[in-house]
Structure formats: C-alpha cells, structure tokens
C-alpha cells in the first residue's frame, strides 16, 4: 500500500501540542522537586533513623521499585478515591510520579552518602567541626558528584515515564497526542512528531544537566 | 455487579502467564538485539557506531508508551496488519535492546585496555579478540545488572494493557470494571508484580555485592 504522510493536521494543532509539552514539563519539574524531598528524607531515615522507621522506608522503596508505574498510577487514581480521597487526574498523576521518583532517588542518595569514606568524617570530627559543618564541607559535594549521573538519568526517565499519565487524561503531551489521534486519525504522523518532542526534551535535559555539572561539580579526581 | 472472589483472583493470576510470555519475548529478542547494539557501539567502524548510537538515543530518549503507540497505531496506516501481541512484542524488544545494549557496552568497556592490546599483540582477529578475550570477562560483570534489568522488562509489559493486551494490569482493569473494588483489585495486581520482581531484585543485589567484593580483592 502506498502511504502519503500528511503532517498538516498535526502542525495545525501546534498550540495544543505546546500546551501539552508545557504540562509535561511542569509535571516533571514538580515531581523532581517533591520527589527529591521525599528521597532525601527517606535516605536520611534509612541511614540514621530508628529500626521500625528504617523497616517502613525499606518496604516503601522495595514495593515501588518492584511494581509497574502504571499500576501505581491506577492505585492513586482509582483506588484512593474509592475510600473517599477525591482528586483531579493532574494531582493523582503528580502524586504517583513523586511517590515513584522518591523511592528510586532515595536509594541513589543513600548510595551517595555511603560513598563518603568514614575517615573523611572522622577527620572532620577531629578538626572539631560541628555535624552540619561536616555535612556542608565534607559530605555534600563529593556525595552529589558521585550520584549526579545516576540521579539526573533518573530525572530523564521520570520525564519519559510521565507519558503514562495520559492513561488517566492528565492533559500531558501524550494525552494531547491521543486526543488528536482520535480526531484526525493521523496516528503515524502525530506519534512521530510527539516522539520527536520527547526526544528533544530529553536531549535538552541532559545538555542542561551536563552544563550544571561542569559549572558546579566538575573538579579533578584525586586517586 | 460482582464482588471480588476467587474466580476474579484466578482471572488476574492467569493473566500473569501473558505477562511472563511477553517478558520472555522481550528478553530473548531484546537480548539478541542488545548484543548487536553493544558490539556496534564499540565497533572500529565509525558509521556502525553512529547507527547504533542513533538507535540507542531514539529508544532511550522517547517514552516506551509512545514507541508502543507508534507501532500499534502506526503500522495499520502503512497497511501492515498488526495485533496487540506483535505490537507489544516488537516495541518491548526494541526498547530492551537499546537499554541492554548500553548496559553491556559499559561492561565491555570496563575490560582493561591492556587486555585488548595483549590480544592485538597476539595477532588475534577482531572476532577472536571479542569472543575469546573480552566477552568472557565482560559477561561476568554483565550478569548482575542484566538480572536487575529484567525487573524493568517485566514492569514495562504492563504498558501493553493500554493497547488492549490482556496481561496482569489489563486483567485487573477488567475485574475492576466488573466489581468496582479498585483498592482490592489493584492491590492484588501490585502484589502479583511484586512477587515476580522482588526475587529478581534481591538476586541482582546479592550478585552485585559479591562481584564488587571479588573485584576489590
């Protein structure tokens, strides 16, 4: 069969696509921000908290990392309203993304904290530094540097997996694409264009993360 | 309206075999593709590296869901007859190939440069250098992250539910529509995934620790 590509309908819908892209970016950014807060708290609780708390945090992390994001999304969108917690698709999507990223990033951050040699912290104590000073001057920078690649690729994965929230029509880029698809039937063209937008977004994210790394954490290694 | 009972539970549990079948397909074809990607990424030929890099860039830089949509909704437009099985199998295999390929490239490049040079000095051919010197060593480091990645593959198959493929998640949706007990239904669905994935995660973690202990010796 001969097929002619017609991108006119897709490009005519550019304001919708732009709006969808904006929602995807907004969702990703907010999920990164809140997810990071959850992750830091969990990493801290898991390394320094009392036993029951550690156990609880561990259960959360393992549960999230070993079930699909789609099921987590369904849980937040369908199951919680059934017990009285009603919220919009956008809020449910954001919550699911935050809970998901929190678990992955907590493990990454914990690995970063544990990568600091004990001797460094002891040296800080010997210099009579206070605990927060040790954290501020000894731990944070090398720990961040160690986990930076893993953490930033997790952010990009989060942005890409946010496409799944289109299933509950959270108005993100993929939701827009699905709507356009059912109106124009130009599925191939639409999904190619939208995949292209995601590709550009992830390239832009990784370029941005590299820039930030070079400006803040790029110093020579001492071996 | 039905209530959630044993038949509903069995319906969901039975769908697990389609999740496992789809995972097996993705691992088999994705693994073969991944080997090609990994070898191409370290190829001495620039154009081979370029093609492999572009492939990885595209499949790691776009959502798996869109890859699935593109194949499922796109192929009929081109006149190809496609069902959810084929679409899900192809999309998951290509995606797995990109990710496993990158994992394995890292393992190949972790083999010290001296090993390559020694093999070259012995006048081994490129194929023999790879097959007899580099890959057997890379294989050992590759096993733990590969087992860990299987968890991602199994979880990824859940997206096939969106194009109507009846695996665990879709079976859960169907049961939920009949019983409207989402809390129970999606908890059961989550537990089934957890039971499949958690042992793999534990295994990968244990192998990783053993390997890093062996390497630091």
């Amino acid at each position: 069969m001969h097929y002619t590509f017609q991108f006119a309908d897709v490009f005519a819908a550019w304001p919708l696509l732009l709006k969808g892209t904006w929602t995807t970016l907004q969702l990703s950014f907010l999920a990164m921000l809140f997810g990071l807060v959850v992750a830091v708290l969990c990493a801290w609780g898991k390394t320094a908290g009392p036993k029951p708390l550690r156990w609880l945090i561990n259960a959360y992390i393992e549960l999230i990392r070993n079930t699909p994001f789609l099921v987590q999304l369904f849980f937040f969108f369908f199951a919680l309203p059934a017990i009285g917690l009603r919220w919009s698709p956008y809020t449910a999507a954001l919550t699911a993304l935050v809970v998901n990223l929190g678990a992955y990033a907590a493990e990454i951050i914990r690995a970063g904290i544990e990568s600091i040699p004990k001797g460094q912290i002891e040296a800080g104590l010997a210099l009579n530094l206070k605990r927060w000073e040790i954290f501020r001057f000894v731990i944070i920078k090398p720990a961040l540097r160690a986990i930076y690649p893993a953490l930033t690729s997790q952010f990009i994965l989060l942005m890409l997996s946010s496409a799944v929230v289109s299933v509950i029509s959270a108005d993100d880029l993929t939701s827009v694409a699905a709507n356009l698809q059912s109106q124009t039937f130009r599925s191939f063209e639409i999904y190619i264009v939208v995949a292209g937008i995601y590709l550009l977004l992830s390239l832009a994210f990784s370029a941005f993360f590299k820039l930030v790394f070079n400006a803040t954490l790029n110093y020579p290694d001492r071996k | 309206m039905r209530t959630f009972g044993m038949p509903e539970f069995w319906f969901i549990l039975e769908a697990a075999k389609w999740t496992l079948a789809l995972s097996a397909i993705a691992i088999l074809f994705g693994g073969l593709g991944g080997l090609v990607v990994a070898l191409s990424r370290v190829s001495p030929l620039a154009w081979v590296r370029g093609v492999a890099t572009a492939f990885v860039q595209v499949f790691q830089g776009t959502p798996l869901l869109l890859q699935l949509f593109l194949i499922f909704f796109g192929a009929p437009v081109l006149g190809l007859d496609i069902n959810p099985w084929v679409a899900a199998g192809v999309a998951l295999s290509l995606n797995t190939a990109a990710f496993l390929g990158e994992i394995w490239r890292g393992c190949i490049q972790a083999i010290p440069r001296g090993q390559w040079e020694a093999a070259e000095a012995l006048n081994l051919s490129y194929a023999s250098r790879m097959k007899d010197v580099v890959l057997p060593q890379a294989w050992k480091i590759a096993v733990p992250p590969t087992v860990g990645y299987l968890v991602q593959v199994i979880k990824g198959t859940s997206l096939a539910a969106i194009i109507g493929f009846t695996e665990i998640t879709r079976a859960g949706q169907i049961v939920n529509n009949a019983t409207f007990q989402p809390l129970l239904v999606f908890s059961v669905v989550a537990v089934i995934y957890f039971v499949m994935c958690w042992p793999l995660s534990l295994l990968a973690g244990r192998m990783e620790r053993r390997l890093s202990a062996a390497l630091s010796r």
Side-chain angles (χ1 to χ4, degrees):
Chain A
M1 190 187 124
H2 186 71
Y3 183 74
T4 32
F5 281 95
Q6 288 175 15
F7 284 99
D9 285 343
V10 187
F11 292 135
W14 70 267
L16 284 174
L17 289 171
L18 204 64
K19 204 161 160 251
T21 309
W22 173 242
T23 309
T24 287
L25 275 174
Q26 200 183 32
L27 261 176
S28 314
F29 181 74
L30 290 176
M32 281 175 207
L33 197 69
F34 295 130
L36 211 53
V37 174
V38 172
V40 169
L41 289 176
C42 285
W44 172 76
K46 207 180 151 177
T47 41
K51 261 245 157 75
L53 183 68
R54 275 184 220 197
W55 195 86
L56 210 69
I57 292 171
N58 220 12
Y60 156 65
I61 292 174
E62 293 297 327
L63 196 65
I64 295 299
R65 299 210 311 168
N66 288 294
T67 51
F69 176 65
L70 180 60
V71 175
Q72 294 158 18
L73 184 71
F74 280 165
F75 200 87
F76 282 107
F77 189 63
F78 294 117
L80 294 188
I83 54 168
L85 198 65
R86 297 216 161 270
W87 47 16
S88 67
Y90 184 88
T91 325
L94 181 60
T95 310
L97 285 168
V98 167
V99 167
N100 188 272
L101 178 70
Y104 282 93
E107 281 300 85
I108 296 174
I109 291 171
R110 190 179 59 90
I113 296 173
E114 283 172 0
S115 75
I116 305 299
K118 267 221 147 54
Q120 301 258 329
I121 296 166
E122 286 161 5
L125 286 170
L127 288 171
N128 209 13
L129 294 182
K130 291 186 190 70
R131 282 208 83 85
W132 72 266
E133 286 174 323
I134 293 177
F135 181 75
R136 167 74 185 80
F137 297 116
V138 181
I139 298 180
I140 186 91
K141 216 169 172 180
L144 260 181
R145 184 170 183 260
I147 61 172
Y148 194 85
L151 197 61
T152 50
S153 40
Q154 195 62 50
F155 285 160
I156 294 174
L157 277 177
L158 168 96
M159 189 269 289
L160 294 176
S161 63
S162 79
V164 173
V165 306
S166 64
V167 181
I168 59 169
S169 304
D171 293 332
D172 71 311
L173 181 54
T174 309
S175 308
V176 171
N179 285 338
L180 280 180
Q181 202 265 143
S182 57
Q183 284 162 22
T184 63
F185 299 106
R186 287 276 143 208
S187 19
F188 218 10
E189 290 88 337
I190 289 162
Y191 290 127
I192 286 176
V193 169
V194 170
I197 297 177
Y198 276 105
L199 187 59
L200 283 180
L201 286 183
S202 60
L203 290 175
F205 268 70
S206 63
F208 171 74
F209 289 138
K210 195 172 269 171
L211 218 66
V212 172
F213 182 83
N214 286 336
T216 54
L217 293 165
N218 196 8
Y219 50 85
D221 227 349
R222 275 179 58 181
K223 276 269 150 77
Chain B
M1 198 153 80
R2 289 195 299 184
T3 52
F4 190 87
M6 265 337 250
E8 283 73 23
F9 175 73
W10 280 117
F11 179 70
I12 299 179
L13 195 63
E14 265 224 282
K17 74 174 177 229
W18 301 118
T19 292
L20 290 175
L22 203 51
S23 306
I25 289 175
I27 290 159
L28 182 68
F29 291 104
L32 289 173
L35 193 62
V36 175
V37 170
L39 291 175
S40 309
R41 289 273 281 153
V42 295
S43 159
L45 301 171
W47 71 269
V48 174
R49 285 198 307 270
V51 171
T53 308
F55 174 81
V56 169
Q57 202 62 275
V58 167
F59 279 89
Q60 287 195 344
T62 57
L64 174 57
L65 181 63
L66 269 172
Q67 295 161 20
L68 201 58
F69 280 175
L70 211 72
I71 293 171
F72 185 65
F73 295 110
V77 186
L78 291 183
L80 296 166
D81 196 20
I82 205 162
N83 60 29
W85 254 112
V86 180
V90 171
L92 284 164
S93 298
L94 289 172
N95 191 270
T96 305
F99 278 89
L100 278 183
E102 275 303 271
I103 293 174
W104 292 344
R105 175 190 60 86
C107 297
I108 291 174
Q109 287 179 337
I111 303 305
R113 206 66 223 162
Q115 299 276 333
W116 291 79
E117 287 159 4
E120 231 174 311
L122 289 171
N123 207 16
L124 296 181
S125 68
Y126 180 80
S128 171
R129 243 183 292 164
M130 270 292 174
K131 186 169 74 63
D132 300 318
V133 179
V134 177
L135 289 186
Q137 300 184 77
W139 164 249
K140 265 192 211 153
I141 349 175
V143 173
T146 305
V147 173
Y149 190 73
L150 299 186
V151 173
Q152 309 297 328
V153 176
I154 294 175
K155 291 192 296 178
T157 61
S158 68
L159 295 189
I162 301 171
I163 57 169
F165 180 90
T166 310
E167 40 62 77
I168 301 173
T169 308
R170 180 87 192 107
Q173 277 183 299
I174 293 169
V175 170
N176 180 44
N177 290 341
T179 63
F180 204 68
Q181 290 174 286
L183 196 63
L184 189 60
V185 172
F186 290 119
S187 300
V188 167
V189 168
V191 166
I192 296 175
Y193 277 109
F194 186 77
V195 168
M196 292 197 296
C197 295
W198 200 44
L200 287 173
S201 294
L202 287 180
L203 184 66
R206 193 184 308 155
M207 287 195 297
E208 223 151 89
R209 275 189 297 279
R210 197 185 300 156
L211 183 74
S212 69
L215 288 179
S216 66
R217 235 184 294 151

